């Protein structure tokens, strides 16, 4: 990656992700809403975020919290109205921030009018979805749903099965049908004309299914993924989409690409590619077993290797994320949510703000929010967790929730979806009513108000990280070089640029992912002067031999 790449606002941006259902409730129904987001824009602005990515707020039966859209041009009533949404857009723009909307076009809700007409075989809508026949007691193919169980649902009235790669209420659209694509482009242009600043594209690399829908490898956790991910026409459809919609607009686009490899991703995001960035999942797989419900350990060396490869081998711009609404909380996953919660939350933040790419912060990450101590399946709402556990029970693989409680605690998407913790009042200031998901019991300690008043808080450290990245171009555009690749607990890298106009052109980042003090000798010329730019510990830090405290993070300018 060379430091003289094209400069773009979205490369320098920090994106703050808002999951509206869990962000802030303005009307006391226990569900976050758009007015609630407007009320809390100061918090996002103060963090120095440039962009807000808003998870889906469209009309939806909410079986998958808005990823099951029944009307692309309507706002879901629990979140507010179109007038509320327009007020949000203006308020975001007034603060010189931008708004990126979620685009969910691999599937629609079965409540969408297209699907209803498709069922009735009206007005040419039958071919909008995948309807297939099957032999008795069988399915059209062996693909499974990402949420567990088969990817096919039988419709009694139609007498055929329809394909759903997610929940049975999320039917996959047939992108090979030109009319489907035209309708989608028209809808995207409608939103662009409303003044939005880009799209985060949901599972966008699943849109092209191979002809004949061939069976997949039955051993995979998600059977069929090697068939339907990055399918034959994905590149062509993405290029057509860009061309017909946002290509001439000053937008930011990021495509969620499940199972994508670096080579394929490079096709999507290279200089003239159809997307600006992708969200890949390689680094999210490092602590996953073969199946969603099988345990696995996290090794730092795997995370380093995977993320370093994307830093150096992708032909295009990276997205930098460690969590989102589908992932557990990062301190609980890659750090320590006990004694060293603060230190490890700051360390993980340091990582995200000092790599090359666009930084994404998920709500609550800036507080060091943790996973929730789930005790029963009833407490959970997530279609994936409930689907996976239900499928394992149905298959006789487990007796009940207790058999997989630890894994669910570590992995469930609801960990990220518990309400945002604003203050130490009831329900953490999220709502005056009964929150739709339980509030994490640690809210009296971990919340925005408490952390804002505490100089040493994770929140204030995030403010410093934002300033650091804004002040040092090398952190955005510089080259990346991994040091000590085989070290078990230390991740060290250098960021350098040959840009003559920057004050600091050589940065060393040292991150210690361990609970006991360790010493390390860094392969750095001892004659170099080193100045600490930021650290989660006091003191100067010495080079090239360092003694690192638990979860110590230190960023040096070298001269
Ligand atoms: C994406 C979304 C996730 C959703 C799924 C189906 O992975 O991020 O929340 O459940 O797609 O739309």
């Amino acid at each position: 990656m060379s430091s003289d790449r094209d400069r773009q606002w979205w490369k320098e941006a920090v994106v703050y992700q808002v999951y509206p259902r869990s962000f802030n409730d303005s009307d006391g129904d226990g569900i976050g809403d758009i007015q609630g987001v407007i009320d809390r824009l100061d918090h996002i602005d103060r963090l120095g975020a440039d962009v807000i990515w808003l998870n889906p707020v469209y009309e939806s039966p909410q079986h998958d919290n808005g990823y099951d859209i029944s009307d692309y041009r309507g706002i879901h009533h629990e979140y507010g109205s179109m007038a509320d949404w327009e007020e949000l857009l203006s308020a975001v723009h007034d603060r010189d921030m931008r708004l990126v909307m979620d685009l969910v076009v691999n599937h629609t809700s079965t409540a969408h009018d297209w699907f209803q007409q498709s069922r009735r075989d009206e007005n040419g809508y039958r071919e909008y979805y995948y309807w297939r026949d099957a032999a008795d007691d069988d399915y059209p193919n062996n693909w499974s749903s990402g949420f567990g169980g088969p990817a096919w649902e039988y419709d009694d009235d139609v007498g055929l099965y329809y394909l759903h790669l997610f929940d049975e209420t999320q039917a996959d659209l047939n992108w090979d049908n030109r009319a489907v694509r035209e309708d989608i482009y028209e809808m995207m242009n409608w939103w662009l004309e409303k003044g939005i600043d880009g799209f985060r594209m949901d599972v966008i690399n699943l849109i092209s299914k191979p002809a004949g829908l061939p069976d997949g490898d039955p051993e995979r956790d998600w059977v069929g993924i090697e068939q339907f991910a990055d399918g034959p026409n994905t590149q062509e459809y993405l290029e057509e989409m860009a061309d017909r919609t946002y290509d001439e607009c000053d937008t930011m686009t990021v495509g969620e690409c499940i199972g994508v490899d670096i080579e394929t991703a490079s096709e999507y995001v290279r200089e003239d590619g159809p997307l600006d960035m992708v969200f890949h999942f390689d680094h999210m797989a490092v602590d996953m077993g073969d199946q969603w419900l099988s345990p696995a350990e996290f090794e730092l060396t795997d995370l380093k290797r995977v993320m370093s490869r994307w830093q150096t081998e992708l032909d295009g711009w990276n997205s930098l994320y460690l969590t989102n609404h589908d992932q557990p909380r990062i301190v609980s996953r890659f750090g320590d949510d006990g004694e060293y919660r603060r230190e490890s939350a700051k360390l993980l933040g340091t990582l995200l703000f000092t790599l090359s790419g666009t930084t994404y912060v998920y709500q609550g990450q800036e507080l060091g929010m943790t996973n929730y101590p789930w005790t029963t399946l009833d407490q959970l709402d997530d279609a994936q967790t409930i689907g996976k556990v239900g499928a394992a029970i149905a298959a006789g693989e487990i007796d009940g929730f207790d058999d997989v409680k630890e894994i669910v605690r570590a992995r469930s998407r609801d960990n990220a979806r518990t309400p945002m913790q604003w203050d130490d009042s009831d329900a953490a200031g999220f709502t005056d009513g009964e929150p739709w998901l339980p509030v994490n019991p640690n809210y009296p300690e971990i919340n925005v108000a408490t952390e804002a008043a505490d100089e040493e808080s994770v929140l204030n450290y995030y403010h410093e990280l934002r300033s650091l990245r804004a002040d040092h171009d090398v952190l955005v555009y510089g080259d990346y070089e991994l040091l000590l690749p085989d070290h078990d607990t230390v991740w060290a890298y250098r960021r350098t640029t040959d840009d003559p106009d920057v004050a600091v052109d050589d940065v060393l980042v040292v991150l210690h992912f361990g609970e006991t003090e360790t010493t390390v000798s860094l392969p750095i010329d001892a004659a170099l002067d080193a100045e600490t730019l930021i650290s989660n510990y006091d003191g100067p830090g010495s080079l090239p031999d360092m003694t690192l405290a638990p979860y110590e993070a230190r960023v040096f300018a070298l001269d």
Side-chain angles (χ1 to χ4, degrees):
M1 184 160 299
S2 91
S3 46
D4 59 0
R5 330 184 89 242
D6 230 21
R7 301 181 74 96
Q8 299 284 353
W9 64 262
W10 44 264
K11 293 182 178 173
E12 294 162 26
V14 169
V15 182
Y16 188 84
Q17 183 190 346
V18 171
Y19 194 69
R21 200 170 187 80
S22 306
F23 194 61
N24 188 36
D25 173 23
S26 72
D27 61 6
D29 66 356
I31 294 170
D33 47 45
I34 293 173
Q35 283 297 336
V37 180
I38 296 172
D39 290 345
R40 299 291 189 178
L41 282 180
D42 279 349
H43 170 73
I44 303 173
D45 202 2
R46 226 174 280 135
L47 263 176
D50 308 281
V51 178
I52 294 175
W53 153 27
L54 189 66
N55 283 104
V57 290
Y58 313 99
E59 197 48 84
S60 156
Q62 302 286 322
H63 289 292
D64 189 21
N65 294 355
Y67 283 96
D68 48 325
I69 297 174
S70 54
D71 179 2
Y72 286 109
R73 291 175 171 84
I75 298 294
H76 178 62
H77 62 276
E78 287 172 319
Y79 297 154
S81 62
M82 189 54 84
D84 293 322
W85 181 86
E86 282 162 359
E87 190 182 328
L88 172 66
L89 181 69
S90 308
V92 169
H93 284 169
D94 285 349
R95 286 173 161 80
D96 283 330
M97 295 192 287
R98 310 195 198 216
L99 187 66
V100 163
M101 295 292 279
D102 224 299
L103 178 76
V104 189
V105 288
N106 173 67
H107 44 264
T108 69
S109 165
T110 50
H112 195 289
D113 187 50
W114 296 343
F115 188 80
Q116 289 305 318
Q117 296 202 55
S118 187
R119 293 183 68 229
R120 297 192 297 267
D121 199 6
E122 283 172 5
N123 304 319
Y125 280 98
R126 179 53 60 86
E127 294 304 316
Y128 265 50
Y129 298 86
Y130 292 95
W131 293 100
R132 293 290 184 276
D133 208 349
D136 282 351
D137 294 332
D138 206 358
Y139 295 102
N141 70 14
N142 72 349
W143 295 0
S144 63
S145 149
F147 294 167
W152 296 95
E153 183 71 13
Y154 189 70
D155 186 311
D156 281 329
D157 294 340
V158 180
L160 293 169
Y161 290 87
Y162 64 87
L163 177 68
H164 61 90
L165 292 182
F166 294 91
D167 187 69
E168 66 196 51
T169 63
Q170 293 166 298
D172 280 58
L173 282 164
N174 174 10
W175 272 68
D176 296 331
N177 181 351
R178 168 158 290 284
V180 168
R181 307 205 299 278
E182 292 298 332
D183 272 348
I184 290 170
Y185 304 153
E186 198 184 308
M187 175 273 285
M188 290 172 72
N189 285 325
W190 187 85
W191 281 101
L192 287 167
E193 274 157 30
K194 283 183 112 31
I196 66 167
D197 303 294
F199 293 107
R200 175 270 182 188
M201 302 175 185
D202 193 59
V203 293
I204 201 68
N205 69 328
L206 306 188
I207 57 176
S208 170
K209 280 78 176 174
L213 310 180
D215 275 349
D217 172 2
E219 298 305 315
R220 304 285 291 251
D221 182 34
W222 196 351
V223 180
I225 186 159
E226 77 284 9
Q227 300 288 355
F228 54 71
D230 306 300
N233 301 324
T234 313
Q235 179 78 14
E236 182 192 324
Y237 293 159
L238 290 178
E239 280 174 5
E240 183 185 80
M241 173 168 85
D243 191 43
R244 297 287 306 282
T245 61
Y246 53 78
D247 226 13
E248 300 299 316
C249 305
D250 187 21
T251 51
M252 175 188 125
T253 55
V254 51
E256 186 198 28
C257 292
I258 297 195
V260 76
D261 60 24
I262 296 183
E263 258 189 358
T264 311
S266 296
E267 292 292 306
Y268 302 152
V269 302
R270 62 180 149 67
E271 205 64 50
D272 56 349
L275 302 176
D276 293 329
M277 290 167 264
V278 300
F279 289 135
H280 72 83
F281 285 82
D282 275 2
H283 62 313
M284 296 286 100
V286 295
D287 61 348
M288 296 283 279
D290 297 345
Q291 308 283 321
W292 194 84
L293 283 171
S294 44
E297 288 293 308
F298 157 60
E299 302 278 353
L300 178 67
T301 41
D302 293 332
L303 190 65
K304 287 202 285 191
R305 180 177 38 77
V306 166
M307 289 187 73
S308 298
R309 277 196 63 208
W310 281 84
Q311 286 286 296
T312 54
E313 292 176 26
L314 181 70
D315 180 13
W317 194 250
N318 266 291
S319 70
L320 304 171
Y321 79 96
L322 289 174
T323 185
N324 58 37
H325 64 293
D326 294 329
Q327 302 292 337
R329 292 283 175 184
I330 56 175
V331 264
S332 303
R333 185 175 192 176
F334 298 127
D336 168 43
D337 59 11
E339 187 178 351
Y340 297 111
R341 184 190 65 84
R342 270 183 190 226
E343 290 79 2
S344 61
K346 292 178 183 179
L347 167 131
L348 291 160
T350 311
L351 172 66
L352 276 187
F353 281 81
T354 58
L355 287 174
S356 170
T358 298
T359 302
Y360 290 77
V361 175
Y362 177 69
Q363 65 186 41
Q365 177 182 335
E366 73 279 23
L367 307 177
M369 277 178 66
T370 66
N371 283 354
Y372 185 91
W374 308 105
T375 48
T376 63
L377 194 56
D378 292 352
Q379 292 173 315
L380 290 136
D381 169 87
D382 168 26
Q384 181 186 43
T385 308
I386 293 168
K388 292 277 191 190
V389 174
I393 294 173
E397 288 157 12
I398 58 171
D399 290 333
F401 179 69
D402 279 351
D403 290 354
V404 286
K405 190 157 76 186
E406 291 311 317
I407 293 173
V408 168
R409 280 185 171 182
R411 210 156 277 169
S412 176
R413 308 194 298 179
D414 277 343
N415 286 307
R417 300 175 182 185
T418 62
M420 177 74 177
Q421 294 164 204
W422 294 103
D423 57 40
D424 63 4
S425 66
D426 283 353
F430 164 71
T431 180
D432 294 336
E434 188 61 36
W436 71 279
L437 257 196
V439 176
N440 197 304
N442 59 23
Y443 76 90
E445 181 203 346
I446 305 172
N447 65 66
V448 173
T450 305
E451 295 202 20
D454 172 4
E455 262 184 46
E456 301 294 314
S457 67
V458 179
L459 178 61
N460 278 317
Y461 190 81
Y462 265 72
H463 288 161
E464 287 172 40
L465 283 171
R466 179 61 189 113
S467 306
L468 179 78
R469 195 166 173 91
D471 291 347
H472 295 292
D473 225 52
V474 61
L475 295 176
V476 178
Y477 291 107
D479 290 342
Y480 169 94
E481 184 196 357
L482 176 66
L483 310 175
L484 307 173
D486 301 321
H487 199 290
D488 287 347
T489 59
V490 174
W491 187 349
Y493 48 92
R494 230 161 141 170
R495 304 291 316 280
T496 53
T497 176
D498 47 19
D499 183 343
D501 297 330
V502 297
V504 173
D505 62 6
D506 192 349
V507 168
L508 170 69
V509 181
V510 185
L511 307 170
H512 174 220
F513 284 70
E515 288 175 14
T516 47
E517 193 175 277
T518 193
T519 54
V520 66
S521 184
L522 287 146
I524 296 289
D525 182 352
L528 283 172
D529 264 352
E531 182 207 342
T532 296
L533 294 175
I534 194 169
S535 175
N536 55 357
Y537 279 85
D538 292 338
S542 67
L543 279 176
D545 298 320
M546 289 185 83
T547 300
L548 291 160
Y551 291 102
E552 179 164 346
R554 199 166 279 277
V555 180
F556 295 101
L558 300 180
D559 206 357

